[in-house]
């Protein structure tokens, strides 16, 4: 079944770029959830974006955060850099049902320390302008 959720499709895009698995076990890319397991994972979490345009109602302006957790600090930091390189300043990223006219990181992202189990955590925030690819 096709997902109509932009973040789910973006998770699939990251998986196709070799950053993890969003559909096939063992799944380690999650959308709008942050499970305790697996130890090494990526989570995409939606935030509120800017208001819709009154001039172009087909466009949406989502913001989202990506959180990386890894048992190894160096590996987690590398995943953060790889995600930033895959998504930052990208134009016309096409997913199953959406075209991201642009995706831009709000900052470099970085470490937010360790969780209670000693796993390194990193975060980076993005903004995007998207439209459904069914729009003519």
């Amino acid at each position: 079944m096709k997902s109509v959720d932009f973040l789910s499709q973006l998770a699939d895009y990251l998986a196709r770029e070799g950053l993890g698995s969003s559909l096939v076990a063992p799944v380690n890319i999650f959308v709008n959830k942050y499970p305790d397991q697996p130890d090494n994972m990526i989570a995409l979490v939606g935030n509120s974006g800017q208001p819709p345009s009154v001039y172009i109602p087909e466009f949406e302006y989502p913001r989202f955060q990506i959180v990386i957790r890894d048992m190894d600090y160096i590996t987690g930091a590398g995943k953060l850099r790889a995600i930033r390189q895959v998504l930052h300043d990208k134009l016309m990223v096409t997913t199953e049902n959406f075209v991201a006219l642009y995706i831009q990181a709000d900052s470099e992202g970085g470490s937010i320390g360790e969780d209670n189990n000693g796993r390194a955590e990193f975060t980076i925030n993005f903004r995007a302008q998207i439209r459904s690819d069914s729009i003519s």
Side-chain angles (χ1 to χ4, degrees), residues 79-134:
K79 286 180 188 173
L80 171 71
R81 280 190 305 279
I83 289 168
R84 188 176 57 237
Q85 288 173 346
V86 165
L87 294 180
H88 177 60
D89 273 347
K90 295 301 186 241
L91 303 174
M92 303 305 289
V93 172
T94 302
T95 68
E96 216 172 347
N97 298 97
F98 297 93
V99 174
L101 302 170
Y102 74 84
I103 300 174
Q104 185 175 39
D106 287 338
S107 68
E108 291 289 312
S111 173
I112 56 172
E114 291 184 347
D115 69 3
N116 292 335
N117 295 317
R119 302 174 291 196
E121 294 182 306
F122 302 84
T123 185
I124 185 167
N125 295 309
F126 290 91
R127 69 180 92 206
Q129 180 180 6
I130 65 173
R131 71 171 173 81
S132 168
D133 71 358
S134 64

Side-chain angles (χ1 to χ4, degrees), residues 8 16 27-28 33 53 66 73 79 93 106 120:
S8 294
R16 285 192 306 276
V27 172
N28 63 354
K33 57 183 166 180
S53 169
I66 298 181
Y73 182 92
K79 286 180 188 173
V93 172
D106 287 338

